[in-house]
């Protein structure tokens, strides 16, 4: 009896191990401000992205893939939690913000953890760290990514244009000299280091007038926010992307024998764009274009190593972006002056910050050589649905209230429809259903003239038919008042849920 039990138990263990080995690794690459029209596989002609194109050619290229929101923090909040970010009022966070993802909730990485995966995040974070704004940057930094589901984290806290300009590995700022502690303040100047405002002659890249980015100067670049100390720990912008790549390869090499989930939050082409020397001037489109070439090279390196390690066939790579594109987001870096006809929006209206399509319709690729056939899909898919979909895929119970739905069939290319309805967030919210898009009335300004982007705000309701007017040129609200009413009621209902 005892022997029989032992044998059965061993067989159970063995089958578990075998199944575990068959589970695909998942690498979710989330770019920062990469636009629908920024890749040659999405029609860009002024810039070539051969490595990402290869990814597109071997998997699914989605034409209607979305983030929830037209800015970073809200969009990443939804990706992590499966919850519409406007429910809790998530907004772009300063670099010293406290963590906004609840640590007691199921998250995307926890779904993978519950399925036996190793989990990691490398790159941008921007969801806050610690319980308070005021924190000891020199001590243990928590709660943060490790408390929301990642076994390993190597991140920077917010954005590259915000202090503190340091890497945080798990709970520690790396390369910190205890004799030179870091202090951060977003309200007033601290310390006596030069700022972009007082010492513009020290800048190697000018800040755009009226946009800020003129506080503490780090590596010749004016930042948002003030910091002092931590001199040895400060990053060099030209090394940011290659550092994250190196950490990524190191991580994958060490975990390649077990299934892993890696959220690789790459930084391109968010400001300040300061690519490695080998990419500077290469695109002819200024540093923004050069940053896109750097991104493409990085993806190529990653794919090369997956192949060398023999795990390329059974690794799912998802490639997407947290929000739409912007040219001038705070620095005079050539993106506008050297645009040369490049259209980062890919013919869509709006851009980053906008309720129009270019705000949330982003590059969206899924490749899994072992299982997915190359194809283009027009299914409406969202990053918010990764959690519910992978929970279904990995048979992890999803017993919490959230907004995500299971669209795994669309993600794997079997269903060509995806969602029927979806709420998109610019400044105003939009209700999308069966190709109709209603943008709720808004008091906000129509154009952000500093970044030169139409925000999609109008005091009256807007209605577009995305099936034949993806560029949102014809407001049909007056012609179809009953459609406006239907979508408006639908949006109100979802808001109340
Ligand atoms: C904006 C910044 C912009 C960028 C953005 C966040 C100003 C005037 N502009 O507020 O430079 O940092 O926030 O970008 O401060 S995001 O991709 O993280 O949402
Ligand atoms: Ca972003």
């Amino acid at each position: 009896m005892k022997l029989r039990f032992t044998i059965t138990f061993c067989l159970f263990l063995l089958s578990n191990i075998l199944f575990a080995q068959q589970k695909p690794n998942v690498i979710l690459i989330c770019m920062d401000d990469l636009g629908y029209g920024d890749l040659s596989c999405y029609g860009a002609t002024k810039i070539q992205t051969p490595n990402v194109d290869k990814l597109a050619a071997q998997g699914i290229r989605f034409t209607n893939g979305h983030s929830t929101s037209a800015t970073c923090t809200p969009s990443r909040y939804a990706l992590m939690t499966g919850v519409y970010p406007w429910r809790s009022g998530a907004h772009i966070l300063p670099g010293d913000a406290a963590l906004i993802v609840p640590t007691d909730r199921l998250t995307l990485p926890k779904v993978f953890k519950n399925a036996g995966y190793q989990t990691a995040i490398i790159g941008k974070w921007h969801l806050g760290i610690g319980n308070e704004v005021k924190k000891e940057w020199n001590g243990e930094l928590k709660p943060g990514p490790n408390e929301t589901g990642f076994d390993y984290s190597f991140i920077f806290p917010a954005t590259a244009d915000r202090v503190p300009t340091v890497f945080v590995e798990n709970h520690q700022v790396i390369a910190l000299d205890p004799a030179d502690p870091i202090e951060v303040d977003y309200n007033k100047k601290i310390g006596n280091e030069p700022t972009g405002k007082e010492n513009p002659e020290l800048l190697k890249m000018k800040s755009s007038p009226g946009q800020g980015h003129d506080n503490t100067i780090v590596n010749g670049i004016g930042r948002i926010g003030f910091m002092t100390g931590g001199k040895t720990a400060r990053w060099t912008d030209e090394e940011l992307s290659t550092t994250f790549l190196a950490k990524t390869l190191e991580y994958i090499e060490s975990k390649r024998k077990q299934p892993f989930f890696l959220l690789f939050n790459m930084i391109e082409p968010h400001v300040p764009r300061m690519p490695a020397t080998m990419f500077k001037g290469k695109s002819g489109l200024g540093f923004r274009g050069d940053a896109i070439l750097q991104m493409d090279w990085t993806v190529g390196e990653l794919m090369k190593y997956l192949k060398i390690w023999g795990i390329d066939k059974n690794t799912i790579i998802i490639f997407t972006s947290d929000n739409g594109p912007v040219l001038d987001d705070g620095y005079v870096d050539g993106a506008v002056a050297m645009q040369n006809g490049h259209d980062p929006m890919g013919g869509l209206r709006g851009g980053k910050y906008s309720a129009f399509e270019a705000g949330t319709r982003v590059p969206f690729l899924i490749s899994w050589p072992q299982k997915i056939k190359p194809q283009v899909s027009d299914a409406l898919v969202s990053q918010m649905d990764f959690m519910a979909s992978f929970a279904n895929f990995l048979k992890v119970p999803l017993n919490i209230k959230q907004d995500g739905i299971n669209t795994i069939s669309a993600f794997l290319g079997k269903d060509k429809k995806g969602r029927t309805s979806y709420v998109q967030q610019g400044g105003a919210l939009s209700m999308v259903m069966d190709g109709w898009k209603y943008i709720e009335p808004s008091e906000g300004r129509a154009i952000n003239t500093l970044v030169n982007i139409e925000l999609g705000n109008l005091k009256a309701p807007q209605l577009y038919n995305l099936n034949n007017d993806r560029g949102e040129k014809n407001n049909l609200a007056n012609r179809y008042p009953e459609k406006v009413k239907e979508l408006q009621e639908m949006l109100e209902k979802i808001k109340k849920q």
Side-chain angles (χ1 to χ4, degrees):
M1 180 68 197
K2 201 162 170 214
L3 183 71
R4 215 163 80 200
F5 174 78
T6 314
I7 291 173
T8 319
F9 187 68
C10 285
L11 281 175
F12 171 75
L13 273 186
L14 192 72
S15 70
N16 261 348
I17 290 166
L18 285 178
F19 180 69
Q21 278 171 349
Q22 286 163 6
K23 282 184 193 163
N25 307 307
V26 178
I27 302 176
L28 169 47
I29 303 175
C30 189
M31 301 307 311
D32 197 356
D33 298 6
L34 188 72
Y36 193 74
D38 272 326
L39 302 168
S40 34
C41 56
Y42 277 89
T45 55
K46 305 286 178 180
I47 192 157
Q48 294 303 313
T49 51
N51 292 301
V52 180
D53 291 4
K54 217 171 125 189
L55 201 59
Q58 74 182 32
I60 313 174
R61 184 173 69 82
F62 290 93
T63 62
N64 201 8
H66 289 258
S67 61
T68 56
S69 315
T71 52
C72 170
T73 303
S75 143
R76 287 166 201 264
Y77 178 90
L79 180 140
M80 280 288 285
T81 61
V83 176
Y84 281 125
W86 38 264
R87 293 201 187 282
S88 55
H91 58 273
I92 301 173
L93 292 176
D96 59 354
L99 179 68
I100 60 165
V101 179
T103 53
D104 55 357
R105 263 191 80 86
L106 188 67
T107 58
L108 177 64
K110 283 183 192 170
V111 164
F112 284 96
K113 249 171 105 92
N114 292 349
Y117 279 61
Q118 292 288 315
T119 59
I121 176 171
I122 294 172
K124 176 181 188 172
W125 173 237
H126 212 183
L127 291 168
I129 298 181
N131 290 319
E132 307 287 338
V133 167
K134 198 116 200 76
K135 61 187 130 270
E136 181 51 75
W137 286 98
N138 312 286
E140 261 219 322
L141 290 167
K142 65 196 245 188
N146 297 61
E147 286 64 43
T148 56
F150 296 105
D151 298 316
Y152 174 75
S153 66
F154 188 97
I155 55 142
F156 65 54
T159 58
D161 56 358
R162 285 173 172 73
V163 300
T165 51
V166 295
F167 298 108
V168 181
E169 186 170 33
N170 296 321
H171 300 120
Q172 302 282 340
V173 172
I174 69 162
L176 187 64
D177 173 5
D180 181 30
I182 297 172
E183 270 180 76
V184 173
D185 204 305
Y186 269 77
N187 297 317
K188 56 175 197 312
K189 182 174 172 177
I190 41 165
N192 47 18
E193 289 182 48
T195 63
K197 195 170 180 181
E198 296 156 326
N199 300 88
E201 75 285 356
L202 297 178
L203 297 174
K204 68 178 176 193
M205 180 166 62
K206 279 203 194 109
S207 310
S208 305
Q211 289 211 47
H213 304 83
D214 57 4
N215 301 155
T216 306
I217 298 175
V218 179
N219 189 31
I221 300 171
R223 314 282 165 163
I224 306 176
F226 300 95
M227 86 178 275
T228 175
K231 286 272 164 52
T232 54
R234 296 182 187 189
W235 71 57
T236 305
D237 298 79
E238 287 85 337
E239 294 171 1
L240 264 177
S241 192
T242 44
T243 302
F244 287 137
L245 172 64
K247 284 290 159 191
T248 293
L249 296 178
E250 207 178 290
Y251 177 79
I252 298 175
E253 184 172 27
S254 73
K255 297 289 184 261
R256 68 187 195 276
K257 300 239 158 67
Q258 50 216 121
F260 64 82
F261 166 67
L262 169 66
L263 176 56
F264 185 18
N265 283 340
M266 289 178 61
I267 58 167
E268 295 92 352
H270 194 281
V271 295
R273 298 148 188 152
M274 190 49 66
T277 312
M278 65 174 162
F279 297 105
K280 280 184 182 163
K282 221 179 151 186
S283 68
L285 303 178
F287 282 172
R288 185 175 188 278
D290 300 343
I292 292 173
L293 294 184
Q294 172 172 277
M295 170 284 290
D296 185 66
W297 173 83
T298 306
V299 171
E301 287 300 289
L302 178 61
M303 289 168 73
K304 184 171 93 192
Y305 278 95
L306 294 180
K307 197 160 183 187
I308 289 172
W309 292 324
I311 56 171
D312 55 321
K313 298 278 184 301
N314 198 27
T315 296
I316 298 178
I317 301 182
I318 304 174
F319 178 98
T320 188
S321 175
D322 68 340
N323 54 252
V326 51
L327 289 172
D328 181 350
D329 208 17
Y331 298 94
V332 184
D333 59 9
V336 175
M338 298 167 81
Q339 189 177 357
N340 189 31
H342 174 58
D343 175 18
M345 287 75 179
L348 303 174
R349 197 169 173 186
K352 183 175 181 178
Y353 309 109
S354 178
F356 289 131
E357 283 297 287
T360 63
R361 193 186 294 224
V362 286
F364 208 116
L365 308 170
I366 301 187
S367 132
W368 184 10
Q370 209 168 83
K371 287 276 160 64
I372 293 179
K373 297 250 164 336
Q375 58 193 280
V376 174
S377 171
D378 297 330
L380 172 61
V381 290
S382 162
Q383 297 162 5
M384 184 176 71
D385 297 329
F386 287 146
M387 189 172 94
S389 303
F390 279 103
N392 175 278
F393 180 67
L394 298 167
K395 302 186 178 59
V396 170
L398 185 74
N399 41 16
I400 50 156
K401 231 180 125 213
Q402 42 98 54
D403 296 299
I405 56 173
N406 169 24
T407 57
I408 193 70
S409 313
F411 289 145
L412 299 181
K414 289 178 212 138
D415 160 39
K416 292 296 173 103
K417 192 164 185 315
R419 280 182 162 262
T420 46
S421 64
Y422 187 51
V423 181
Q424 295 169 201
Q425 180 188 30
L429 297 183
S430 306
M431 184 75 237
V432 171
M433 195 192 59
D434 292 332
W436 288 100
K437 174 172 172 183
Y438 157 81
I439 308 179
E440 67 178 359
S442 163
E443 295 292 322
R445 61 200 160 143
I447 302 179
N448 178 338
T449 49
L450 289 172
V451 298
N452 194 22
I453 286 176
E454 284 188 291
L455 299 175
N457 298 325
L458 195 71
K459 288 193 178 78
Q462 297 174 75
L463 182 74
Y464 299 97
N465 186 343
L466 299 176
N467 292 325
N468 55 34
D469 180 23
R470 233 166 58 159
E472 293 164 292
K473 294 205 170 64
N474 301 309
N475 182 359
L476 302 172
N478 289 335
R479 224 160 100 193
Y480 300 105
E482 65 299 335
K483 197 45 117 188
V484 168
K485 188 162 174 279
E486 181 191 348
L487 294 183
Q488 187 216 344
E489 284 171 5
M490 195 170 185
L491 179 59
E492 290 313 314
K493 206 173 133 203
I494 295 175
K495 281 188 194 174
K496 281 197 198 97
Q497 268 164 18

